[in-house]
Amino acid sequence: MPSLLFAFLLLLSGGCRRTGAVAGPANRAGVLHLAAADDIPTLDPALGYDTASWAFEQMIFDTLVRYSAGGVELRPDLATAWEASSDSRRFSFHLRRDARFSTGRPVTAGDVKYAVQRVLDPKTRSQGMAYFRNIEGARAFTRGRAADVRGIETPDPWTLVFRLRAPDPLFVEKLAMPFAAALARQEVERWGEDFARHVVGSGPFMLQEWTGGQRIVLKRNPYYFAPSRPRLQAVAESLGVSEELQWLRFEAGELDLGAIAPAEFPYVMKTPRLKALTKKIVTLSVNYLGMNCQMAPFDDRKVRRAFNYAINKQKLVALLNGRAMPARGVLPPGLPGYDPTIRGYPYDPAKARQLLAEARVPQSFRPVLWLRADPTTLMLGQSVQQDLALVGIALDLKPVAWGPLLEAVRQPRTVELFLFGWEADFPDPENFLAVLFSKKQWGANNDTFYFNPQVEALLAEAAPIADREERYRLYRQAQRIIVSDAPWVFLFHPVTYVIRQPWVHGLVLNPMRPARLDTVVVAPH
Amino acid sequence: MTTERIGSMKIIGAAMVASLAIVALLAPWLAPHDPTAAVAATFGDPGRPSLAFPLGTDALGRDVLSRIIWGARISLSVGVAAMSLTLAVGGLIGLAAGFFGGMVDFVLMRFTDMMLTLPALLLAMALISVLRPGLLTILLVIGLVSWTQVARVVRAETLSVSQREFVVAARALGAGSARVAMRHVLPGVMPVIVVMAALGTSGTLLLDAGLSFLGLGVPPPTPSWGRMIEEATAYLRTAPWLATFPGLAIFYAVLGFNLLGYGFLAARR
Amino acid sequence: MLSYLAKRLVFGAVVLLGTSLLTFLIAFVVPADPAVAMAGAKADPQTLAVIRRQLGLDLPVYRQYLNYLDRALHGDLGRSYIRRQDVARLIVRRFPATVALAVCAMTVALVLGVAMGVAAALRHDRAADRMLLGASLLLISTPVFWLGTLLLIAGGLYLRSFPLGGFDGARSLVLPALTLGLGMAGYYARLLQANLVEVLAQDYVRAAWAKGLSGARVLLRHALPNAALPLLTVAGLDLAGLLSGVVLTETVFDWPGIGRLAYEAVFNLDIPLIMGTVLFSALLVVVANLAVDLVYVWLDPRIRPAAGV
């Protein structure tokens, strides 16, 4: 007992000291104070594959290319220029010579090659492996038959060449993912499994402190190649702070940027002073209710359309406090190739009842909707349940954890209905239509087991075409057929809202990635 | 303790439990609305208590009062059923260990000790998440993790009852073991089982509510008090009544069974 | 005495072995492929195959278990699916927050419980006794997550004097420690009161009263030490339980401790983390049991052979 008590006292004093150092009034300007509900899964670019990890990885690391601040155009980062061969199989990059890691060492082509090889190494267990398997020699390397990936060449320290097995017009987009961020090999090998907590990169910020579940602090990287960036001295995020608490801290002026707690959202929107401080962006993602096209009665298009008419999307948006826009098709607005002329399915329970009657759906029909067990998803599921009850369908909910849900939907003829979402990895219709509706993705991402030979042909035709307008034309045709076949109930596109303090300037939200914060300014206040 | 007070504890407890049972049985007639349908358009912005909806409406537009009334049904059935399972498993193990003694006792009690070591809530959570969530799973899991205390108490009681003269005599006369255990020992152990039943129900009620609060209870839209509190946590500031009323309901039920249990316990002293 | 302790040690080891087998079985029957859980939604079959081999999932079950046991003995509990970090390190990093909460809650429970128990025993069978016992019953009957929620509303939202969650200095400990401590105080009060009433009725205490010793003195010197022993046993084991994580309270208060970690693990079906937290809490309870045994032996050497177990 006494020793425990002592440990506890130590802990308390430690806690207080840290708080003072970060939140002290003296250095309020130049330091951006944030909070998040959950800890960050990792800072290791090979391992992170979620918004929270990427938000910090993007600030600490550089990739060859990255997206424009508020858009999805590729911009130079470590590479100043790049060329693609006409068959989209060979890509060369010219690196800038003034980039340095936060240790002071210059960044070279070998550091990017090392990072990609590390992702391809099975010992790393990276989720990014699939994006680089198309590189020549990647398979042999993964199987341990080669010490190097043959298709990645570094003719000199400032030039990097990738050769691919099959044409891929989207390959450069894959290099904009943090998986391909330049890594300092020495530091990675020095820390091993613990690298995630001692990351070293060449981005605008560097890691100063990360106390698991409590706090993370980034400070500026003195060696960053753009001397005017970042415009902040530091970013300090408190972790494990619920959305409700974040809101109160924001109101007290302790946070410079905050999420808006769901319950507070109506109040913020009704208060002009607060509303003026909000920023929003429609994300490149879509939430949907998938219907298994191989399981009766969902093999009947009439039933699938009836569900589209029966479900009240405006109500779902209201449940999300307006933080979503109703979907009319698969592709989100803001995605290159988006088709504004698609009308989708309005809320029309009478029409739904009529279609169900035509399809002769039996009275005893009691479908089961599989969904994740988190509170928000469960609320949406219960709303769908209420809507379907109004057209005479008794829906059961089956809440499960993410892993088993994923496992189950991939089995043929197992899950008839499921609530899912999809976020773009790169800004192209291919990343939605081919990944989610091609027969090649049965058992992987096409979990409705949808198949339409016309769509399949269009997808195959579009894939290798480098000319954007031509691709988009074909994808628009494919999307029209998909919407008319209705393998999904197209629900909504989530909208991100943040609120800033009046003294925070220069924040730009990105529809696909977390904001990089290197342009943000915190004025004295 | 004075008999007067023990009596009043039991009576108050019994009255509380009985009132709950009546609400649970008559839920379809008592509840003013369908507990799962949207009866007010308060989507994403829960409604305050009003004349039409005395306890307000939740974020899905459902009547909170109706949900609490129907919730009594599910909570009581889970509590009582899980308690019965707990008693059956714990009672049999305790009886066997105390009655047969020796090796049987040693093995059963070491096993009980081991189960006591495991973190009950954590184990229940792990099991439910792995198995299919549903009423039956929850009953089984609660039963599985909470029988150990019953086994210990019943064993101790069996030991003392077994040493009484009539039991010793019955065994000496050559009556079958099972027969002696059932005819002579079980009735002697019965009072302690009654106490454990009442206290056990308050325990299973709390465990069930806790699991529901963690999102591991009976799946929605079945109204459950614990889940109602969980769903209310997002609205603590803007709609504090949402979390208050279902909590009062759990508190009332648990208190009723506790009064009953401690009343019986005090009467035995 | 040594053989008694040796027996206890062997029993502890058996419990841990049993727990490891149980957690391994849970992981084994889980309807999710660990490779899928690790590789995520977007992985293709080749990636999955590679990861499966890497995790040793192609080996026979008993080999997998022995591997798991071997790694666990070396402090390697695997890597969390969701957090992508070493499970043992995650647990160790979360432990201080749980220790702080557990110690504070136990302090609240003991101080309040002893005060209530002593007061009730001294006023045995009077109105005050009934009120105190009634109050303890109310405390026992309050669901901890509801009490936590109410305290958040009252202390955090209306009074604004306490943070609404998270672990950030001494002030943030007050509400969760009260939430957790109050219910336990109810139990301790009842336990102590019952024991004290018994002890106070015994001859040597009566004799002490008769000798004209003051009430407080009799209580403190003679009655309390005897009546407190069972309470300390219970409290010691309870403390071990608290240290292994208090899921509900930590969830209500967003407390960065073991319990919240376990909740997240279950919620995400993060198997290595579930196995790790269950194993860790079993270890704590085993150690606490041994400690309580030692204390007993130390306090009362007569117990040792007779206790047997």
Side-chain angles (χ1 to χ4, degrees):
Chain A
M1 274 294 264
S3 64
L4 276 182
L5 205 63
F6 180 65
F8 158 65
L9 288 174
L10 260 182
L11 229 129
L12 278 186
S13 58
C16 298
R17 202 174 51 239
R18 270 199 305 276
T19 316
V22 178
N27 57 353
R28 285 296 294 182
V31 179
L32 187 72
H33 293 261
L34 309 169
D38 292 311
D39 198 0
I40 301 152
T42 183
L43 293 178
D44 185 335
L47 300 182
Y49 200 3
D50 58 273
T51 312
S53 301
W54 278 17
F56 284 91
E57 287 173 22
Q58 282 189 141
M59 292 192 263
I60 299 172
F61 296 94
D62 281 329
T63 37
L64 289 172
V65 290
R66 64 188 170 90
Y67 293 105
S68 52
V72 291
E73 303 297 318
L74 287 175
R75 292 276 186 269
D77 197 1
L78 285 177
T80 49
W82 61 94
E83 300 104 36
S85 66
S86 59
D87 64 352
S88 304
R89 285 185 57 194
R90 189 174 187 281
F91 297 84
S92 12
F93 295 85
H94 306 284
L95 271 63
R96 60 185 316 136
R97 299 181 179 217
D98 54 353
R100 284 163 182 269
F101 288 109
S102 54
T103 53
R105 180 167 84 67
V107 180
T108 64
D111 298 319
V112 178
K113 175 174 178 166
Y114 170 69
V116 173
Q117 294 200 150
R118 184 165 174 263
V119 167
L120 283 167
D121 184 344
K123 282 204 279 297
T124 313
R125 289 181 233 159
S126 171
Q127 300 189 26
M129 203 188 259
Y131 297 111
F132 304 116
R133 195 175 286 115
N134 189 24
I135 299 172
E136 252 179 44
R139 282 165 196 240
F141 175 80
T142 298
R143 292 197 185 118
R145 291 201 205 118
D148 261 303
V149 178
R150 199 171 64 243
I152 312 178
E153 291 163 11
T154 52
D156 64 71
W158 321 111
T159 310
L160 188 61
V161 179
F162 293 91
R163 282 183 287 109
L164 307 185
R165 285 188 308 132
D168 183 5
L170 298 176
F171 184 69
V172 185
E173 314 269 355
K174 291 166 189 171
L175 293 173
M177 301 173 103
F179 291 123
L183 288 182
R185 177 175 200 153
Q186 215 184 353
E187 302 296 322
V188 177
E189 286 172 357
R190 177 169 155 216
W191 295 106
E193 272 282 311
D194 224 18
F195 174 65
R197 308 198 77 85
H198 300 91
V199 286
V200 169
S202 57
F205 293 94
M206 59 192 280
L207 180 64
Q208 180 181 325
E209 178 204 332
W210 181 19
T211 314
Q214 291 182 37
R215 174 187 316 278
I216 183 167
V217 182
L218 303 188
K219 62 179 180 190
R220 55 180 302 149
N221 169 9
Y223 295 102
Y224 188 56
F225 62 74
S228 61
R229 300 268 181 80
R231 301 177 70 185
L232 291 167
Q233 291 302 321
V235 175
E237 181 163 281
S238 310
L239 306 170
V241 184
S242 66
E243 277 198 323
E244 291 74 36
L245 178 56
Q246 283 178 42
W247 171 251
L248 294 172
R249 286 206 185 162
F250 177 83
E251 273 203 316
E254 289 172 27
L255 297 181
D256 298 316
L257 285 179
I260 307 167
E264 307 291 344
F265 197 81
Y267 160 70
V268 172
M269 288 297 129
K270 273 179 249 161
T271 313
R273 173 183 67 86
L274 294 173
K275 193 181 176 196
L277 295 170
T278 60
K279 272 185 177 285
K280 70 165 177 176
I281 193 153
V282 184
T283 58
L284 292 192
S285 50
V286 58
N287 283 54
Y288 63 94
L289 186 153
M291 294 174 277
N292 192 316
C293 303
Q294 290 189 325
M295 291 173 78
F298 299 104
D299 50 351
D300 184 343
R301 191 163 72 174
K302 277 188 180 150
V303 177
R304 302 199 299 260
R305 285 182 173 172
F307 270 57
N308 267 287
Y309 286 117
I311 290 165
N312 187 345
K313 297 165 195 175
Q314 289 295 349
K315 185 173 147 203
L316 295 178
V317 171
L319 282 174
L320 294 167
N321 303 109
R323 289 190 281 188
M325 63 176 291
R328 292 194 233 153
V330 182
L331 303 182
L335 186 84
Y338 170 72
D339 183 355
T341 63
I342 285 191
R343 292 200 41 243
Y345 298 86
Y347 176 54
D348 189 347
K351 188 143 188 182
R353 269 192 296 268
Q354 181 201 330
L355 282 167
L356 287 171
E358 284 173 25
R360 296 177 192 284
V361 173
Q363 279 298 308
S364 58
F365 177 50
R366 209 183 158 88
V368 179
L369 174 66
W370 293 54
L371 70 176
R372 280 199 69 178
D374 66 285
T376 309
T377 310
L378 279 176
M379 194 164 71
L380 299 177
Q382 292 183 71
S383 173
V384 168
Q385 209 170 26
Q386 289 177 340
D387 293 345
L388 289 176
L390 293 179
V391 298
I393 290 177
L395 181 77
D396 280 327
L397 297 185
K398 177 161 173 155
V400 277
W402 178 237
L405 176 58
L406 206 58
E407 186 96 341
V409 292
R410 292 178 169 188
Q411 308 296 324
R413 308 186 143 272
T414 304
V415 177
E416 48 190 347
L417 297 172
F418 56 94
L419 270 188
F420 250 15
W422 181 263
E423 289 172 34
D425 291 302
F426 13 90
D428 193 90
E430 186 267 356
N431 193 233
F432 285 84
L433 301 180
V435 177
L436 298 164
F437 298 101
S438 163
K439 192 174 178 180
K440 287 181 203 142
Q441 292 276 349
W442 280 18
N445 290 311
N446 179 355
D447 301 323
T448 58
F449 292 86
Y450 171 77
F451 172 62
N452 182 325
Q454 246 181 308
V455 171
E456 207 69 32
L458 285 166
L459 295 177
E461 192 185 341
I465 296 177
D467 178 69
R468 292 185 170 221
E469 284 317 310
E470 182 59 16
R471 294 160 60 78
Y472 296 161
R473 194 180 59 76
L474 295 169
Y475 282 128
R476 272 191 204 112
Q477 285 180 37
Q479 187 183 207
R480 285 196 166 271
I481 303 172
I482 293 167
V483 170
S484 140
D485 281 342
W488 292 0
V489 177
F490 309 96
L491 296 178
F492 55 84
H493 306 291
V495 178
T496 300
Y497 273 89
V498 295
I499 186 161
R500 67 181 172 89
Q501 298 286 7
W503 54 79
V504 175
H505 307 287
L507 174 71
V508 187
L509 298 182
N510 188 286
M512 200 168 66
R513 295 287 165 81
R516 207 183 191 205
L517 305 181
D518 57 337
T519 55
V520 171
V521 178
V522 174
H525 53 278
Chain B
M1 300 213 186
T2 55
T3 41
E4 164 207 348
R5 181 182 153 235
I6 295 157
S8 65
M9 254 171 91
K10 265 197 293 194
I11 291 167
I12 296 173
M16 287 169 74
V17 170
S19 65
L20 269 174
I22 291 171
V23 168
L25 281 173
L26 300 183
W29 296 277
L30 287 177
H33 299 279
D34 179 342
T36 59
V39 292
T42 54
F43 306 125
D45 198 6
R48 294 184 164 279
S50 63
L51 272 180
F53 309 106
L55 304 186
T57 51
D58 68 7
L60 274 157
R62 301 173 298 199
D63 177 35
V64 173
L65 176 61
S66 304
R67 289 180 69 69
I68 288 183
I69 291 175
W70 279 90
R73 208 172 238 221
I74 194 77
S75 295
L76 268 196
S77 14
V78 170
V80 171
M83 175 274 296
S84 313
L85 195 69
T86 305
L87 281 187
V89 176
L92 275 180
I93 289 184
L95 202 61
F99 185 74
F100 294 109
M103 205 54 206
V104 178
D105 184 29
F106 181 80
V107 171
L108 285 177
M109 281 303 107
R110 286 305 76 70
F111 179 63
T112 309
D113 284 348
M114 198 170 118
M115 290 299 290
L116 264 173
T117 307
L118 294 174
L121 184 59
L122 211 60
L123 195 66
M125 285 164 55
L127 284 174
I128 291 175
S129 67
V130 167
L131 304 166
R132 189 193 147 94
L135 194 57
L136 195 65
T137 314
I138 288 154
L139 288 183
L140 286 177
V141 167
I142 295 181
L144 198 70
V145 299
S146 49
W147 58 266
T148 44
Q149 282 298 346
V150 180
R152 286 191 139 189
V153 173
V154 171
R155 172 183 173 269
E157 196 70 11
T158 308
L159 275 177
S160 88
V161 172
S162 299
Q163 273 150 26
R164 286 190 208 153
E165 282 160 23
F166 64 94
V167 180
V168 176
R171 287 183 108 169
L173 287 174
S177 298
R179 197 182 146 83
V180 175
M182 287 300 148
R183 285 284 292 278
H184 300 286
V185 180
L186 190 59
V189 180
M190 223 41 215
V192 82
I193 290 191
V194 171
V195 172
M196 295 303 284
L199 293 181
T201 308
S202 71
T204 50
L205 275 174
L206 277 178
L207 191 53
D208 170 55
L211 286 170
S212 297
F213 175 75
L214 295 172
L216 293 166
V218 183
T222 313
S224 119
W225 294 336
R227 187 182 294 280
M228 288 174 78
I229 297 182
E230 185 226 351
E231 288 178 343
T233 47
Y235 303 96
L236 282 190
R237 186 157 109 124
T238 46
W241 62 89
L242 275 185
T244 310
F245 296 124
L248 272 176
I250 303 175
F251 176 62
Y252 181 81
V254 174
L255 185 62
F257 280 102
N258 269 338
L259 280 171
L260 206 57
Y262 282 109
F264 277 121
L265 191 65
R268 277 168 45 79
R269 286 239 174 94
Chain C
M1 175 157 142
L2 270 179
S3 80
Y4 167 63
L5 283 179
K7 255 192 214 161
R8 300 298 300 164
L9 266 175
V10 170
F11 176 66
V14 171
V15 166
L16 285 177
L17 201 68
T19 312
S20 75
L21 191 62
L22 194 77
T23 52
F24 181 78
L25 284 179
I26 289 181
F28 199 74
V29 300
V30 89
D33 183 344
V36 174
M38 186 154 270
K42 294 175 174 178
D44 57 349
Q46 291 102 310
T47 311
L48 291 180
V50 166
I51 289 179
R52 231 170 250 136
R53 209 164 350 155
Q54 182 66 35
L55 291 175
L57 295 173
D58 44 357
L59 298 173
V61 185
Y62 76 96
R63 283 287 308 277
Q64 288 189 40
Y65 175 64
L66 290 180
N67 282 348
Y68 166 63
L69 210 58
D70 181 51
R71 284 195 303 264
L73 282 175
H74 291 92
D76 175 7
L77 297 173
R79 194 200 275 170
S80 151
Y81 295 161
I82 305 301
R83 300 195 169 274
R84 323 251 163 78
Q85 294 170 38
D86 188 70
V87 167
R89 280 168 198 241
L90 266 176
I91 292 177
V92 169
R93 275 196 204 101
R94 291 298 192 94
F95 196 44
T98 293
V99 173
L101 177 54
V103 171
C104 283
M106 188 48 82
T107 312
V108 169
L110 281 177
V111 169
L112 196 66
V114 168
M116 283 171 72
V118 169
L122 287 181
R123 297 269 173 278
H124 187 46
D125 269 345
R126 296 197 210 148
D129 173 32
R130 285 174 215 172
M131 263 177 54
L132 283 166
L133 285 184
S136 76
L137 207 55
L138 294 184
L139 290 178
I140 292 173
S141 305
T142 311
V144 67
F145 55 93
W146 184 58
L147 181 63
T149 309
L150 291 185
L151 286 178
L152 267 182
I153 296 178
L157 284 173
Y158 288 117
L159 297 179
R160 292 230 167 177
S161 35
F162 299 101
L164 280 167
F167 179 27
D168 200 5
R171 194 175 274 256
S172 64
L173 267 160
V174 174
L175 295 183
L178 272 181
T179 301
L180 203 53
L182 284 178
M184 290 183 354
Y187 273 110
Y188 294 170
R190 296 190 81 87
L191 189 67
L192 189 64
Q193 186 261 3
N195 287 325
L196 265 178
V197 166
E198 236 165 71
V199 172
L200 287 175
Q202 271 170 15
D203 290 344
Y204 70 97
V205 181
R206 284 170 183 273
W209 289 105
K211 268 194 279 178
L213 290 174
S214 78
R217 211 184 140 102
V218 174
L219 186 80
L220 289 178
R221 289 290 283 281
H222 300 280
L224 201 52
N226 281 301
L229 203 59
L231 178 65
L232 285 182
T233 314
V234 173
L237 294 179
D238 279 355
L239 186 65
L242 292 182
L243 287 176
S244 64
V246 272
V247 180
L248 289 167
T249 308
E250 290 188 7
T251 304
V252 170
F253 289 95
D254 283 328
W255 196 255
I258 308 263
R260 173 131 181 99
L261 193 67
Y263 168 65
E264 285 165 18
V266 167
F267 184 76
N268 294 307
L269 216 61
D270 191 338
I271 298 295
L273 199 51
I274 295 179
M275 292 164 83
T277 43
V278 172
L279 212 54
F280 179 73
S281 55
L283 179 70
L284 277 177
V285 175
V286 166
V287 171
N289 266 310
L290 282 174
V292 168
D293 283 344
L294 276 177
V295 171
Y296 255 88
V297 170
W298 175 58
L299 282 180
D300 187 357
R302 279 166 310 163
I303 305 177
R304 46 175 143 116
V309 271

